[in-house]
Amino acid sequence: MKNREFPLIARRRRSGSAPERKVNCVLVGDGAVGKTSLIVSYTTNGYPPNMCPQRLTTLPRGSALSLRNLVDRWLPEIRHQCPDTPLVLVGTQLDLREDVQVLIQLAQNQQRPVGTEEGRQLAEELGMVGFMEVSALTQKNLKDPFDSAILASIQQTEMESCSEGGR
Ligand SMILES: Nc1nc2c(ncn2[C@@H]2O[C@H](COP(=O)(O)OP(=O)(O)OP(=O)(O)O)[C@@H](O)[C@H]2O)c(=O)[nH]1
C-alpha cells in the first residue's frame, strides 16, 4: 500500500528505468505568428478547431519582419532572463510559404517569407540549436522543434551534472 503513495518518479527509479524528466518549453515571438496554434496542434494532435486560419491578418508577421523583431527585441530579452537556455528558431505557417495570395500580400507590405537558408544561418550565428519550419495546420515537421528542444535540454542538464560531479 505504501508503494502507491510514492511519486511516479521514485517508483520508476526503483523499477530500474530512467527517471522522469520535465522540460519547460516556452514559445516566444511576435503576436499572431502562430505560437498558440503550434502548441495546441502539438499537444492535442489537431489544429485548434476555433482557429480558422486568418491569412491576411497574420501575414506581415510571418515574415522577415518577425525575424528582425527576434534579433532586436526578443533575443536580448530572452538572453537577459535566461542566458544559458537552449533556443530553437521556428518558422511558423509553413503551409502559406508558397501561397500566391500570401506572397502578394507580403509584397504589398514590403515583406517576404523567411528563406530556409536565411533561417538556418541566423540560428547558427545566434548560437541557437537550429532552425525548423513547421505548420500547425498541416502538422508538417510539427514534432521537430519540440524534439530538438527536449534533446537540447537533456544534453544541457547532463553536461551540468557532469561538471558539478567533477568539482
Ligand atoms: N495557415 C496557417 N495559419 C496558421 C497557422 N498557425 C496559426 N495560424 C493562424 O494564425 C493566426 C494566429 O495564430 P495564433 O496561434 O493565435 O498566434 P499567436 O502567436 O499565439 O498569437 P498571440 O496570441 O497574439 O501571441 C490564427 O488565425 C491561426 O489560425 C498555420 O500553421 N497555418
Side-chain angles (χ1 to χ4, degrees):
M1 285 293 279
K2 272 192 177 175
N3 253 351
R4 287 198 185 157
E5 304 296 323
F6 284 172
L8 180 64
I9 191 167
R11 270 188 272 136
R12 287 208 176 160
R13 278 199 185 121
R14 283 193 163 198
S15 68
S17 58
E20 188 180 74
R21 291 173 194 260
K22 283 190 180 162
V23 174
N24 192 12
C25 184
V26 179
L27 279 76
V28 180
D30 285 358
V33 293
K35 302 178 296 295
T36 309
S37 305
L38 187 62
I39 200 91
V40 173
S41 186
Y42 177 72
T43 53
T44 67
N45 197 21
Y47 193 70
N50 55 344
M51 293 187 104
C52 174
Q54 296 165 356
R55 294 174 180 183
L56 302 185
T57 52
T58 65
L59 270 184
R61 305 218 171 234
S63 63
L65 176 66
S66 277
L67 213 57
R68 249 198 341 264
N69 285 345
L70 166 83
V71 176
D72 296 346
R73 179 177 173 198
W74 296 115
L75 201 63
E77 198 171 318
I78 296 167
R79 285 299 179 215
H80 178 70
Q81 301 290 340
C82 322
D84 301 321
T85 298
L87 300 177
V88 179
L89 183 57
V90 183
T92 53
Q93 307 184 356
L94 177 60
D95 57 290
L96 298 180
R97 165 72 66 80
E98 311 224 316
D99 186 305
V100 175
Q101 279 194 331
V102 168
L103 296 175
I104 292 171
Q105 180 79 15
L106 280 173
Q108 283 170 349
N109 289 288
Q110 285 79 51
Q111 291 295 312
R112 58 179 174 76
V114 175
T116 305
E117 198 44 43
E118 189 182 5
R120 276 201 197 121
Q121 267 183 19
L122 186 73
E124 200 180 319
E125 279 166 26
L126 298 174
M128 294 176 157
V129 173
F131 172 65
M132 276 138 227
E133 298 166 293
V134 305
S135 168
L137 181 64
T138 64
Q139 300 202 315
K140 188 166 183 195
N141 304 336
L142 185 64
K143 268 176 91 264
D144 295 358
F146 293 97
D147 287 350
S148 278
I150 292 165
L151 190 65
S153 166
I154 290 172
Q155 285 170 341
Q156 191 184 45
T157 311
E158 280 172 0
M159 273 164 56
E160 280 168 5
S161 52
C162 278
S163 55
E164 275 166 21
R167 275 181 209 154

